[in-house]
């Protein structure tokens, strides 16, 4: 065999080996799911516009981030103040649940995903915590001012240490839509986490889209895969939201 043919064959074999790293149920998944700084800088093959939902760089073949979507509806003619969304450990057994949707003070929270209700979503947040890289807040009906309402990210640990962070959604002055706002901040959701809205306007309906950047699924470890799954698209940059006690 000539030297030229040897080099050509070696190059083809190498290309086939490395092009197959897609994150299956073997060691490939370990590299796809690496989320540390070293993984981002050393293993991520990124194009000019590739960003993980968490704001770190990621591989071009990183899986699509599919949002968890909930709908908040106020059937009352009056506004409701200090209203909690999420908070699984607090609300999972509430008497306000009907067919998987939760109604408190005249405001109903339901899932906008077919075949999965809001109560099931709360159960998942307890057992499979996740981080959010992008939050869309979308006005469906009523005053569109609702989407710019301030909310507080509220969480705690089992020792009772509470942490709070106020988030002020702001419509980009260059966007044409006035009925949706994108909150590009990174935060984590588990059973303790609540989003407390300062006010839910009278007769408004709006949706919250949580785009996960990473989620934890302990059952994946039973199959020899990483328990952490990271997502790449949509191409966004999430600014870390540091909450303080």
């Amino acid at each position: 065999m000539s030297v030229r043919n040897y080099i050509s064959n070696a190059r083809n074999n190498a290309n086939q080996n490395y092009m197959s790293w897609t994150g299956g149920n073997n060691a490939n998944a370990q590299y796809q799911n690496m989320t540390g700084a070293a993984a981002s800088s050393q293993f991520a093959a990124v194009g000019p516009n590739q960003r993980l939902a968490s704001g770190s760089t990621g591989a071009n073949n990183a899986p699509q981030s599919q949002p968890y979507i909930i709908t908040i509806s106020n059937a009352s003619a009056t506004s409701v103040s200090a209203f909690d969304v999420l908070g699984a450990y607090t609300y999972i057994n509430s008497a306000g649940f009907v067919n998987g949707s939760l109604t408190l003070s005249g405001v109903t929270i339901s899932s906008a995903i077919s075949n999965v209700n809001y109560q099931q979503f709360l159960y998942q947040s307890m057992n499979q915590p996740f981080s959010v890289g992008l939050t869309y807040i979308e006005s469906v009906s009523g005053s569109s001012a609702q989407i710019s309402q301030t909310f507080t990210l509220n969480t705690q640990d089992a020792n009772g240490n509470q942490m709070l962070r106020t988030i002020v959604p702001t419509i980009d002055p260059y966007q044409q839509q006035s009925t949706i706002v994108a909150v590009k901040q990174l935060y984590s959701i588990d059973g303790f986490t609540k989003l407390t809205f300062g006010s839910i306007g009278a007769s408004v309906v709006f949706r919250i889209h949580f785009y996960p950047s990473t989620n934890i699924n302990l059952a994946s470890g039973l199959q020899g895969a990483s328990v952490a799954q990271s997502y790449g698209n949509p191409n966004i940059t999430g600014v870390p939201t540091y909450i303080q006690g």
Side-chain angles (χ1 to χ4, degrees):
M1 179 184 295
S2 67
V3 173
R4 179 177 299 176
N5 289 337
Y6 175 82
I7 294 175
S8 177
N9 289 337
R11 181 185 299 114
N12 290 336
N13 289 334
N15 288 340
Q16 291 175 1
N17 288 336
Y18 287 100
M19 286 177 66
S20 68
W21 284 65
T22 56
N25 294 328
N26 51 28
N28 299 348
Q30 297 177 9
Y31 289 93
Q32 180 186 0
N33 294 321
M34 292 184 71
T35 57
S40 298
S41 61
Q42 297 179 26
F43 293 94
V46 297
N49 296 318
Q50 295 296 325
R51 295 279 182 177
L52 284 175
S54 62
S56 59
T57 53
N60 292 334
N61 63 349
Q64 176 78 27
S65 177
Q66 298 182 347
Y68 306 113
I69 308 174
I70 59 175
T71 302
I72 295 95
S73 306
N74 185 4
S76 173
T78 59
S79 62
V80 176
S81 60
F83 186 81
D84 288 337
V85 175
L86 302 177
Y89 292 147
T90 300
Y91 296 107
I92 194 65
N93 294 317
S94 173
F97 275 107
V98 176
N99 296 325
S101 296
L102 176 63
T103 299
L104 299 169
S105 303
V107 178
T108 300
I109 311 174
S110 58
S111 172
I113 304 295
S114 60
N115 302 321
V116 178
N117 60 46
Y118 180 62
Q119 191 171 32
Q120 291 170 329
F121 174 51
L122 291 185
Y123 272 117
Q124 178 173 309
S125 72
M126 293 165 55
N127 298 293
Q128 298 181 23
F130 60 96
S131 60
V132 177
L134 173 67
T135 307
Y136 277 148
I137 305 177
E138 173 194 8
S139 176
V140 177
S141 65
S143 174
S144 60
Q146 177 63 55
I147 65 173
S148 58
Q149 282 290 320
T150 298
F151 63 89
T152 301
L153 181 64
N154 181 339
T155 191
Q156 67 181 61
D157 60 23
N159 292 320
N161 299 311
Q162 190 177 44
M163 295 168 284
L164 304 172
R165 174 66 186 267
T166 299
I167 296 178
V168 182
T170 304
I171 295 179
D172 190 317
Y174 296 101
Q175 78 178 53
Q176 297 181 356
Q177 306 98 322
S178 61
T179 59
I180 192 168
V181 63
V183 179
K184 297 182 179 180
Q185 298 197 45
L186 176 66
Y187 57 93
S188 298
I189 290 178
D190 60 19
F192 284 113
T193 308
K194 298 176 184 176
L195 303 184
T196 303
F197 284 83
S199 177
I200 305 295
S203 304
V204 300
V205 179
F206 66 101
R207 293 194 185 101
I208 305 177
H209 305 239
F210 299 103
Y211 281 87
S213 61
T214 306
N215 67 14
I216 301 297
N217 186 350
L218 296 179
S220 296
L222 299 176
Q223 303 174 9
S226 172
V227 298
Q229 173 67 69
S230 296
Y231 301 93
N233 293 316
N235 296 327
I236 60 169
T237 300
V239 180
T241 298
Y242 299 105
I243 52 180
Q244 301 176 347

